[in-house]
Amino acid sequence: MLLKLPLAYMGGVRVKTVSEEQATVKITHKWMNQNPFKSMFWAAQGMAAEMSTGALVMKAIEKSKEKVSMLVTHQEANFFKKATGTILFTCAGGKEINEAINKSKETKEGQVIVLTSEGKNENGAVVSRFSFEWSLKVK
């Protein structure tokens, strides 16, 4: 990650688990990723949330053995409480990603899917929820 995504690495973003169904990424609040209000900056949360969706997309592409272009085309976020401590962002959209890749392979057209990543603190409370619109096209 240091070479491919140095800002995420320095901000403390780490992939925790990736399976065919879901991916979890963790980020811990620290000086490097905080805002002036002593909580995690929204963009640091966004990097971790996007990585949970992107890792899942990359896992599905690897499994498909196809060449697939992937691009985030839209993003939205909601924030519910201050993000402090360790936050786990989880995306469970593996099935939708596989369906989109298969449909793109059949139709030769790009497919758009929305993947949601929910960030929870150490107490299990949701601190933020990000939605990423991904465009996937089999080349």
Side-chain angles (χ1 to χ4, degrees):
M1 188 181 316
L2 179 61
L3 295 175
K4 298 279 185 181
L5 296 167
L7 189 57
Y9 180 81
M10 290 174 36
V13 176
R14 301 293 184 269
V15 175
K16 187 169 174 157
T17 62
V18 181
S19 71
E20 291 182 16
E21 294 84 29
Q22 77 175 28
T24 300
V25 172
K26 79 173 190 172
I27 185 168
T28 301
H29 172 237
K30 54 186 175 180
W31 177 83
M32 181 69 80
N33 61 28
Q34 77 177 352
N35 60 29
F37 310 107
K38 305 256 190 280
S39 63
M40 197 178 304
F41 186 52
W42 70 268
Q45 293 179 64
M47 283 191 297
E50 183 186 4
M51 187 170 295
S52 72
T53 65
L56 203 52
V57 171
M58 292 181 348
K59 176 82 170 175
I61 290 170
E62 179 183 38
K63 180 186 170 206
S64 76
K65 300 194 184 336
E66 299 287 340
K67 287 192 173 192
V68 181
S69 64
M70 56 187 276
L71 178 68
V72 172
T73 56
H74 185 76
Q75 179 270 322
E76 291 183 18
N78 295 98
F79 302 91
F80 305 105
K81 45 187 322 150
K82 287 178 90 165
T84 57
T86 297
I87 310 298
L88 297 178
F89 284 93
T90 302
C91 176
K95 181 180 176 189
E96 293 84 356
I97 298 165
N98 289 322
E99 290 171 356
I101 291 171
N102 290 335
K103 189 168 183 182
S104 179
K105 185 178 177 180
E106 292 170 11
T107 64
K108 307 290 187 222
E109 295 178 0
Q111 301 296 309
V112 174
I113 59 170
V114 176
L115 298 174
T116 300
S117 182
E118 194 167 71
K120 294 182 179 180
N121 66 16
E122 293 148 320
N123 296 326
V126 176
V127 298
S128 59
R129 184 176 298 118
F130 286 76
S131 295
F132 295 92
E133 182 180 275
W134 283 92
S135 174
L136 305 173
K137 185 174 183 186
V138 175
K139 298 179 188 180

